[in-house]
Amino acid sequence: MKKSQFAIDNELFKKLNNSIWEFRTLYNSKSYRLFAFWDNPDDQKTLVIATHGILKKTQKTPTKEIKKAEEIRKGYLDNKLKKK
């Protein structure tokens, strides 16, 4: 994740849809994916919220995992609005 701060590289960090991104890494010949979204509360600092991760077994990112990340994002934003 630190490496993605300094370079835009689709092999490391890929946009899956309007709100969900995927960090990619390879470790011990296994592909791992970490789903995340951006929160920019004050237009100066950006917070990256990781929702969950998976061990990827196929080429295509499973739709159910993207939906799970979207649901977690919605819950996070709803909870954030309630606290204001």
Side-chain angles (χ1 to χ4, degrees):
M1 289 173 55
K2 185 111 175 136
K3 191 175 180 182
S4 68
Q5 290 176 330
F6 305 105
I8 297 172
D9 183 350
N10 286 341
E11 295 301 314
L12 294 174
F13 200 45
K14 179 182 175 187
K15 189 172 187 176
L16 297 176
N17 63 25
N18 287 337
S19 56
I20 304 299
W21 291 73
E22 172 184 67
F23 281 103
R24 303 167 165 201
T25 191
L26 188 63
Y27 180 73
N28 284 342
S29 301
K30 294 183 182 180
S31 295
Y32 294 91
R33 302 297 187 254
L34 182 64
F35 298 90
F37 63 91
W38 305 95
D39 184 10
N40 193 343
D42 61 9
D43 291 328
Q44 292 183 11
K45 295 180 182 178
T46 300
L47 184 61
V48 177
I49 309 293
T51 61
H52 69 292
I54 63 169
L55 174 61
K56 191 167 177 189
K57 297 177 182 175
T58 63
Q59 287 289 5
K60 187 171 166 90
T61 302
T63 304
K64 73 176 189 170
E65 300 299 341
I66 298 170
K67 288 182 181 182
K68 181 177 179 178
E70 289 172 334
E71 290 171 10
I72 293 169
R73 178 182 177 271
K74 183 182 180 314
Y76 169 86
L77 295 174
D78 288 347
N79 190 42
K80 186 177 171 181
L81 287 174
K82 288 178 187 177
K83 290 183 177 182
K84 285 187 175 184

